[in-house]
C-alpha cells in the first residue's frame, strides 16, 4: 500500500462576490438576494479556514478564482463594442444576465470537478473531470477555466490525467464532487467511489423532484466512472431523495458527507437507504476496518434545520484510525437541535470525536459551507511533490494572499456595481498579479474579450 493523504483545495473567493439570487433550488441564495456583499471579508474568511487546516497538519491547496464579469459570454449573447460598452448594454437590457456573468460561484470548488485517486483508476493516475454545471447558466460558463486552473495546479502528465467536461446538456448534468465521495480503509488503498444522482435522465419512470431541479444525473456519474477507469465492483450509485431536493437540498453534500470508513447522513437523504448501505458494504468487502453508517434521525434534526445550518455541508478530516474532526460553519451553533446533536456525536464512541467551527457567513449567505469550498484530492508522496507548489498553503502564501486581497478587493458590493467598468479592471489587475503569485501561466488569457 502506498502512503497517501487527502488534500483539500479550496476556492479563493473572487472580487465580484455578490448576492444576486441566481441559484434556484438553493434556499440561502434566494433568501439573501439583493443584500450587499463584502468580497474582502469573504476571501479572508476562506483563507482563515485554509490556514487553520494547514496548521492542523493537513495538505491544503488554493484554487484561483475566475475572471468576472465574463465578457466572452456576454459577447456570445449579442452585446458588442468595447468591454465598457458590453457592460453598459448588458446592465440596461439584461441585468440578470450581467449578474450571472459576474458571479463568483467558482469559489465553491466542490463543484469544480470529480477527482479519482490513482489507487482507484485503471492507469494509476489521478483523474480530473471538470463539472459542466449545465443546470445554471452562471455556473455552466466555468468548466473551461476550471479545467485550465486544474491543469496548471496538477501539471505533470505522469501523475495527472485531465478530461474535458461532459456534454453540456441536461441528460449529462454534472455537479462534480458535491455529489461524489470516496470511502476507503486508508487513503492509499483502493477505495469505493460513491456517486449520488438526482434523477435518471433517460428513464422517465424513475422518481424525480417536482419543485426544484435534479441537477445531477445517473448518466453523468456513469460517464465519469468510465472516463476515470474505475472498477465496477468498487463503484456505487445511489439516488438522492427527491423530496429533500424539493426541500432545498440541491446537492448531496447538503445532506450527507463521507470520509474513509464513515458515512454521515440524514435519515431522509436517500431514496433507498437500505440499498445504499447494502451496496456500500458489498463493495467494502472483507476489510478488517469497520465501516460506520452514522444516520441522523429526523426526530433529532429536521431537514429544514439541516438546510439552515449546513450541518452536513461539513468537512470530515482524518488524523488517524477512528480519529476524525468535523469542520462546520458557525450557523450550526445557532440552532439548538443541531448543536446538541453535534456535541452528542463527538462525545460518543463513533469515529467523529472533535468539532471545529469557522465563520463562513459570506459564503453561507449564498448557500455554500465548508464542504462547498473544497475539492478533495488524495495524493501519495510523489503526486504531492508534483503539485504546483505555489498553490499550496503555508505561512508565506497566507500572508501574501491576505495582502493581495487587501490591495484589490472591495468591502461592499451590490448588483448595480457589476456594470462598473472599474470593477472589471480591478478584477483583471488582481488576477494578473495572482497569476504571478501562484505561477498559473496563461489560464486567464482566453477569457479577455
Amino acid at each position: 500500500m502506498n502512503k497517501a493523504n487527502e488534500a483539500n483545495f479550496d476556492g479563493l473567493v473572487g472580487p465580484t462576490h455578490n448576492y444576486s439570487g441566481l441559484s434556484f433550488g438553493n434556499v440561502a441564495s434566494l433568501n439573501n438576494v439583493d443584500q450587499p456583499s463584502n468580497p474582502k471579508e469573504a476571501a479572508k474568511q476562506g483563507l482563515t479556514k485554509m490556514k487553520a487546516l494547514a496548521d492542523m497538519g493537513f495538505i491544503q491547496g488554493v484554487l484561483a478564482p475566475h475572471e468576472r464579469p465574463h465578457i466572452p459570454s456576454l459577447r456570445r449573447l449579442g452585446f458588442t463594442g468595447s468591454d465598457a460598452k458590453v457592460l453598459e448594454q448588458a446592465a440596461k437590457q439584461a441585468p440578470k444576465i450581467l449578474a450571472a456573468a459576474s458571479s463568483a460561484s467558482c469559489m465553491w470548488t466542490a463543484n469544480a470537478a470529480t477527482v479519482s485517486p490513482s489507487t482507484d483508476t485503471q492507469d494509476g493516475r489521478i483523474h480530473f473531470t471538470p463539472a459542466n454545471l449545465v443546470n445554471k447558466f452562471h455556473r455552466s460558463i466555468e468548466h473551461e477555466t476550471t479545467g485550465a486552473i486544474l491543469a496548471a495546479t496538477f501539471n505533470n502528465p505522469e501523475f495527472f490525467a485531465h478530461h474535458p467536461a461532459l456534454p453540456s446538456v441536461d441528460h449529462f448534468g454534472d455537479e462534480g464532487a458535491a455529489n461524489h465521495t470516496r470511502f476507503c480503509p486508508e487513503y492509499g488503498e483502493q477505495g469505493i467511489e460513491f456517486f449520488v444522482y438526482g434523477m435518471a435522465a433517460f428513464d422517465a419512470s424513475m422518481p424525480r423532484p417536482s419543485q426544484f431541479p435534479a441537477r445531477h444525473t445517473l448518466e453523468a456519474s456513469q460517464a465519469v466512472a468510465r472516463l476515470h477507469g474505475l472498477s465496477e465492483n468498487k463503484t456505487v450509485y445511489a439516488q438522492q431523495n427527491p423530496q429533500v431536493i424539493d426541500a432545498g437540498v440541491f446537492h448531496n453534500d447538503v445532506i450527507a458527507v463521507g470520509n474513509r470508513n464513515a458515512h454521515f447522513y440524514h435519515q431522509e437523504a436517500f431514496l433507498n437507504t437500505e440499498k445504499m448501505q447494502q451496496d456500500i458494504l458489498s463493495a467494502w468487502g472483507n476489510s478488517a476496518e469497520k465501516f460506520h453508517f452514522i444516520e441522523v434521525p429526523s426526530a433529532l434534526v429536521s431537514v429544514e434545520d439541516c438546510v439552515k445550518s449546513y450541518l452536513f455541508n461539513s468537512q470530515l478530516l482524518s488524523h488517524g484510525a477512528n480519529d476524525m474532526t468535523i469542520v462546520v460553519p458557525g450557523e450550526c451553533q445557532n440552532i439548538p437541535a443541531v448543536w446538541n446533536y453535534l456535541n452528542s456525536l463527538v462525545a460518543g464512541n463513533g469515529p467523529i470525536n472533535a468539532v471545529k467551527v469557522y465563520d463562513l457567513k459570506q459564503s453561507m449567505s449564498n448557500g455554500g459551507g465548508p464542504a462547498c469550498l473544497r475539492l478533495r484530492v488524495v495524493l501519495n508522496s510523489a503526486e504531492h511533490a508534483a503539485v504546483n507548489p505555489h498553490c499550496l498553503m503555508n505561512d508565506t502564501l497566507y500572508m501574501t494572499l491576505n495582502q493581495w486581497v487587501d490591495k484589490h478587493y472591495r468591502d461592499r458590493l451590490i448588483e448595480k456595481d457589476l456594470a462598473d467598468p472599474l470593477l472589471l479592471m480591478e478584477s483583471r489587475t488582481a488576477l494578473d498579479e495572482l497569476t504571478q503569485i501562484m505561477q498559473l501561466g496563461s489560464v486567464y488569457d482566453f477569457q479577455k474579450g
Side-chain angles (χ1 to χ4, degrees):
M1 179 190 73
N2 291 325
K3 176 66 176 175
N5 294 289
E6 185 176 79
N8 292 281
F9 284 78
D10 283 35
L12 182 57
V13 180
T16 60
H17 164 66
N18 71 93
Y19 302 133
S20 294
L22 300 172
S23 191
F24 180 67
N26 181 328
V27 174
S29 173
L30 297 178
N31 286 347
N32 290 294
V33 64
D34 295 332
Q35 294 298 309
S37 66
N38 187 330
K40 182 179 293 186
E41 183 179 53
K44 285 178 170 289
Q45 287 174 350
L47 286 168
T48 297
K49 181 177 79 73
M50 292 186 232
K51 181 61 162 55
L53 266 61
D55 289 346
M56 290 166 63
F58 296 102
I59 302 170
Q60 177 66 58
V62 185
L63 295 179
H66 298 190
E67 182 182 297
R68 293 293 182 267
H70 193 243
I71 297 298
S73 288
L74 295 174
R75 291 188 183 280
R76 286 181 63 191
L77 296 174
F79 302 107
T80 59
S82 66
D83 291 347
K85 283 293 185 183
V86 166
L87 293 174
E88 180 184 350
Q89 292 169 27
K92 183 177 180 180
Q93 300 173 28
K96 282 300 178 184
I97 292 177
L98 175 59
S102 305
S103 174
S105 54
C106 67
M107 63 197 278
W108 296 304
T109 55
N111 301 120
T114 303
V115 185
S116 294
S118 56
T119 50
D120 296 356
T121 63
Q122 193 170 32
D123 67 0
R125 295 187 295 169
I126 299 175
H127 283 245
F128 298 82
T129 296
N132 60 29
L133 299 168
V134 70
N135 189 258
K136 298 287 179 285
F137 168 65
H138 68 288
R139 304 224 61 181
S140 71
I141 62 177
E142 293 178 9
H143 62 81
E144 187 176 6
T145 305
T146 294
I149 290 172
L150 289 173
T153 306
F154 305 94
N155 56 11
N156 188 327
E158 178 183 352
F159 299 104
F160 310 119
H162 295 276
H163 303 277
L166 299 180
S168 291
V169 294
D170 286 343
H171 292 80
F172 298 101
D174 180 10
E175 298 286 313
N179 289 319
H180 171 265
T181 193
R182 179 176 183 264
F183 305 112
C184 56
E186 297 287 346
Y187 291 126
E189 297 182 40
Q190 184 178 19
I192 299 168
E193 302 230 3
F194 181 60
F195 294 87
V196 180
Y197 61 94
M199 69 174 187
F202 287 92
D203 187 352
S205 69
M206 290 184 66
R208 58 183 65 188
S210 58
Q211 180 177 352
F212 292 141
R215 303 184 186 186
H216 196 116
T217 68
L218 170 62
E219 293 81 358
S221 293
Q222 292 170 330
V224 170
R226 287 191 294 268
L227 287 168
H228 291 195
L230 304 182
S231 299
E232 288 187 14
N233 64 350
K234 291 291 186 179
T235 304
V236 175
Y237 305 95
Q239 184 169 0
Q240 195 174 355
N241 181 355
Q243 293 182 357
V244 299
I245 294 177
D246 282 337
V249 181
F250 54 100
H251 289 140
N252 180 62
D253 69 1
V254 180
I255 201 74
V257 61
N259 174 54
R260 287 194 59 239
N261 64 333
H263 192 194
F264 179 49
Y265 61 92
H266 192 269
Q267 178 183 354
E268 299 177 43
F270 299 98
L271 183 64
N272 189 332
T273 302
E274 183 178 354
K275 185 176 187 304
M276 176 272 293
Q277 293 176 342
Q278 291 173 348
D279 289 347
I280 289 176
L281 289 177
S282 177
W284 189 254
N286 297 318
S287 171
E289 191 88 15
K290 179 183 177 182
F291 193 90
H292 299 270
F293 291 104
I294 307 168
E295 182 175 301
V296 180
S298 301
L300 293 181
V301 181
S302 68
V303 171
E304 182 182 6
D305 282 347
C306 292
V307 174
K308 287 180 180 177
S309 66
Y310 268 33
L311 165 63
F312 294 97
N313 196 250
S314 52
Q315 293 177 256
L316 287 179
L317 306 171
S318 285
H319 300 277
N322 296 316
D323 183 11
M324 292 188 201
T325 294
I326 186 168
V327 174
V328 300
E331 282 74 2
C332 285
Q333 292 179 308
N334 301 331
I335 299 177
V338 171
W339 191 239
N340 290 339
Y341 180 85
L342 277 170
N343 284 316
S344 66
L345 176 71
V346 300
N349 296 319
I352 303 173
N353 45 37
V355 60
K356 297 283 187 181
V357 182
Y358 292 97
D359 178 9
L360 298 168
K361 188 170 180 57
Q362 284 291 318
S363 177
M364 285 287 291
S365 295
N366 237 348
C372 286
L373 287 164
R374 62 91 173 95
L375 183 69
R376 297 186 286 184
V377 184
V378 171
L379 300 165
N380 62 35
S381 57
E383 293 158 351
H384 184 191
V387 174
N388 179 349
H390 303 282
C391 300
L392 295 174
M393 181 57 69
N394 53 38
D395 291 346
T396 300
L397 184 60
Y398 178 70
M399 180 182 68
T400 300
L401 290 179
N402 269 284
Q403 292 172 344
W404 175 81
V405 169
D406 286 334
K407 178 179 177 181
H408 295 289
Y409 279 51
R410 300 184 182 189
D411 57 16
R412 187 178 189 276
L413 202 67
I414 57 176
E415 190 170 325
K416 72 176 184 179
D417 295 330
L418 302 175
D420 182 359
L422 287 177
L423 181 63
L424 174 62
M425 296 307 299
E426 290 167 12
S427 177
R428 286 180 173 169
T429 300
L431 294 180
D432 284 345
E433 187 174 318
L434 187 67
T435 297
Q436 300 303 312
I437 293 170
M438 298 177 67
Q439 296 295 295
L440 296 174
S442 58
V443 297
Y444 298 114
D445 286 357
F446 69 89
Q447 294 193 114
K448 294 177 171 57

